[in-house]
Amino acid sequence: MGTAYGQFCPVAKAMELLDERWTMLLVRELVMGSEHFNDLRRGLPRMSPSLLSKRLQQLVRAGIVEKRVDGTDVRYLLTPAGEELRPVVEAVGAWGARWIGEIGDRDLDPKLLLWDMRRNIVEEATPPGRTVVELRFPELRASQRRWWLVIGPDEVDVCDDDPGHEVDLVVTTSLRTLTQVWMGLGTWDQARGAGQITVDGPAALRRALPGWLALSTFAHVERGPHVVRV
Amino acid sequence: MGTAYGQFCPVAKAMELLDERWTMLLVRELVMGSEHFNDLRRGLPRMSPSLLSKRLQQLVRAGIVEKRVDGTDVRYLLTPAGEELRPVVEAVGAWGARWIGEIGDRDLDPKLLLWDMRRNIVEEATPPGRTVVELRFPELRASQRRWWLVIGPDEVDVCDDDPGHEVDLVVTTSLRTLTQVWMGLGTWDQARGAGQITVDGPAALRRALPGWLALSTFAHVERGPHVVRV
DNA sequence: CGGTATCCCCGTCGATACTG
DNA sequence: CAGTATCGACGGGGATACCG
């Protein structure tokens, strides 16, 4: 790992493992349930594959992650020690949600947002059969303007080009608005009331939408004054 | 801070502030109550003063630390946002105490151990007047072999050379044993029973010692299998 | 899908010295 | 006590290409 701190303190020893760039975010992805290399990549799009590979090896060596190979299927699973990092990730995320000020445009990413949303969709609350939701961010450049969530009976897909299915719901908003709603800063209904989100489609589907589109893990953290600059 | 992650996730935004080397340990020192530059240095002896200065400035800019200058007196205090990092430090330390395997010889440091002990001494439980405890680590080289804790009526001093006062108690042990007791791996009495610690001096003082020499903040964490290698 | 290999730059950090 | 100044190396990590 990084150079040792030369301290016996448990905080120091733990941070020798955790303070390298990307490591905590990788642990976050594992805690959130991603197991495959390319799924981890989707949650960490700015991390190079070689660095992801290196970090995974470090965590395996440390005893935090188990690499389970089953034929062609490779999974990275948290060991019990790794699973117990969940409270650490939660404490960090709760602090961030509570104190970090407004996020910059550089931190908005439609692909990442959709991927996060995908992970939290409440399958039991989705309509039977297949539901296709199109998301439109008119302010973005063409290649990032339209996205599709294909909520099948058994799985959810995120597409950045038209999957060809008939669209059931069209959500039009700004990327910032949807990100903020997802993070729990203002509610879906507030944003709709303010005209910042419009939803087109059958009334039943529109009403049901907030029921299965669960928000971020940290959406319900009680907020502080958001004074921290980062 | 370090390069941005380009993610809106609160974990990512928080780690942009916290994942640089030394930062979490500096926050630990502040959470533990150190306020002066040179006190912070004592808790972070391998950190260069310029880097400490830089990190403090970063934390001040971020809104986590307040630099309060009062004449010649300079103090670094946690803001409310910084104070709320305490649960993060505790989660990290608890995880480390529970899972990190045996610490290496490189992580043992008598000066740091005594400084940590000094901070946790229960002043109300110390004997009235001045008590001088000499600690002996026979296995260390001469310059690190003898230490003195001078527990005055109002303050506690750590000395690495003879303060000249009459010594009330002499504790002889190995640095590793004392560090492990301090961290909660085995008790004072167990170590004494095993002949790994001897205490010489008046019986009343010997009996009282464990009462005012409080252990590490993380000594009472329930331990796991200590399988993590770092 | 699941990674490795390579290359090179730039920034961090460590070391040391020095000052008000 | 409370820091700044300087400087060099080293290696982390970003980018890119490529393989099984």
Side-chain angles (χ1 to χ4, degrees):
Chain A
M1 307 303 154
T3 319
Y5 285 116
Q7 300 199 175
F8 51 83
C9 169
V11 177
K13 297 306 293 178
M15 288 314 290
E16 285 179 20
L17 284 169
L18 299 174
D19 73 357
E20 282 181 305
R21 187 163 158 78
W22 290 111
T23 299
M24 191 72 82
L25 303 201
L26 173 52
V27 172
R28 178 199 69 192
E29 289 302 300
L30 292 162
V31 163
M32 294 302 202
S34 287
E35 298 180 346
H36 291 277
F37 193 87
N38 284 327
D39 285 346
L40 294 166
R41 287 202 66 183
R42 286 189 191 80
L44 304 164
R46 318 263 280 240
M47 188 181 193
S48 76
S50 53
L51 188 53
L52 173 56
S53 173
K54 180 181 172 184
R55 286 284 183 276
L56 283 168
Q57 290 173 34
Q58 288 176 315
L59 293 179
V60 168
R61 253 188 291 125
I64 290 172
V65 167
E66 178 199 350
K67 177 174 181 172
R68 185 172 295 172
V69 182
D70 187 3
T72 173
D73 182 63
V74 182
R75 288 167 195 269
Y76 295 94
L77 303 170
L78 290 168
T79 64
E83 175 56 37
E84 286 202 17
L85 284 170
R86 184 184 296 272
V88 173
V89 173
E90 284 172 353
V92 170
W95 183 86
R98 185 164 161 72
W99 291 103
I100 299 285
E102 190 162 342
I103 54 176
D105 289 338
R106 297 282 153 269
D107 297 322
L108 300 177
D109 182 331
K111 193 168 186 175
L112 198 49
L113 177 61
L114 274 280
W115 175 250
D116 274 3
M117 284 184 161
R118 192 202 95 107
R119 192 154 52 186
N120 275 28
I121 282 174
V122 185
E123 299 243 23
E124 310 83 57
T126 56
R130 188 177 58 208
T131 310
V132 180
V133 181
E134 180 181 342
L135 292 119
R136 294 184 185 169
F137 306 114
E139 81 281 15
L140 299 189
R141 65 170 180 276
S143 67
Q144 304 208 305
R145 200 170 293 155
R146 302 176 70 194
W147 300 81
W148 289 264
L149 275 175
V150 182
I151 299 135
D154 298 323
E155 60 169 12
V156 182
D157 270 339
V158 175
C159 308
D160 59 357
D161 47 23
D162 194 333
H165 306 302
E166 189 186 352
V167 172
D168 299 295
L169 281 176
V170 177
V171 177
T172 307
T173 182
S174 72
L175 176 56
R176 178 172 289 276
T177 296
L178 191 61
T179 301
Q180 286 180 339
V181 168
W182 159 257
M183 293 179 66
L185 303 164
T187 69
W188 189 266
D189 285 341
Q190 278 168 10
R192 272 196 39 253
Q196 296 175 319
I197 298 184
T198 64
V199 184
D200 294 309
L205 284 180
R206 282 185 299 164
R207 265 196 306 278
L209 184 61
W212 51 261
L213 194 72
L215 301 184
S216 152
T217 314
F218 302 107
H220 306 293
V221 169
E222 193 180 332
R223 307 295 160 146
H226 289 300
V227 292
V228 170
R229 284 177 297 282
V230 59
Chain B
M1 307 302 155
T3 319
Y5 285 116
Q7 301 200 175
F8 52 83
C9 170
V11 177
K13 296 307 293 177
M15 290 313 290
E16 286 179 20
L17 284 170
L18 300 173
D19 73 357
E20 281 181 306
R21 187 164 159 77
W22 291 110
T23 298
M24 191 72 82
L25 302 201
L26 172 52
V27 172
R28 179 199 69 193
E29 289 302 302
L30 292 162
V31 163
M32 293 303 202
S34 287
E35 299 180 346
H36 291 277
F37 192 86
N38 284 328
D39 284 347
L40 294 166
R41 286 201 67 182
R42 282 189 251 287
L44 304 164
R46 317 266 279 241
M47 187 180 192
S48 77
S50 51
L51 189 52
L52 173 56
S53 174
K54 180 181 172 184
R55 285 283 182 279
L56 283 168
Q57 290 174 34
Q58 289 176 314
L59 293 180
V60 168
R61 253 188 291 125
I64 290 172
V65 167
E66 178 199 350
K67 178 174 180 172
R68 185 172 297 171
V69 183
D70 187 3
T72 175
D73 183 62
V74 182
R75 287 167 196 270
Y76 294 93
L77 303 169
L78 291 168
T79 64
E83 176 56 37
E84 286 202 20
L85 283 170
R86 185 184 295 272
V88 173
V89 173
E90 284 172 352
V92 169
W95 183 86
R98 185 165 161 71
W99 290 103
I100 298 285
E102 189 162 342
I103 54 177
D105 289 337
R106 297 281 153 266
D107 297 322
L108 300 176
D109 182 332
K111 194 168 187 176
L112 198 49
L113 177 61
L114 274 281
W115 175 251
D116 274 3
M117 284 184 161
R118 192 201 95 108
R119 193 154 51 186
N120 276 28
I121 282 174
V122 184
E123 299 244 22
E124 309 83 57
T126 58
R130 188 176 61 207
T131 310
V132 180
V133 182
E134 180 181 342
L135 293 119
R136 295 183 185 168
F137 306 114
E139 82 281 15
L140 299 188
R141 65 171 180 276
S143 66
Q144 306 210 305
R145 199 171 294 156
R146 302 176 70 195
W147 300 81
W148 289 265
L149 274 175
V150 182
I151 299 136
D154 297 323
E155 59 169 12
V156 182
D157 270 339
V158 175
C159 309
D160 59 356
D161 46 25
D162 194 333
H165 306 303
E166 189 187 352
V167 171
D168 299 294
L169 281 176
V170 177
V171 177
T172 307
T173 182
S174 71
L175 176 56
R176 177 172 290 277
T177 297
L178 192 60
T179 302
Q180 287 179 339
V181 169
W182 159 258
M183 293 178 67
L185 302 164
T187 69
W188 190 267
D189 285 340
Q190 278 169 9
R192 271 196 41 251
Q196 296 175 319
I197 297 184
T198 65
V199 185
D200 294 310
L205 284 180
R206 281 184 298 161
R207 266 196 307 276
L209 183 62
W212 51 262
L213 194 72
L215 302 183
S216 152
T217 313
F218 302 107
H220 306 291
V221 169
E222 194 180 331
R223 307 295 160 147
H226 289 299
V227 292
V228 170
R229 281 176 299 280
V230 57

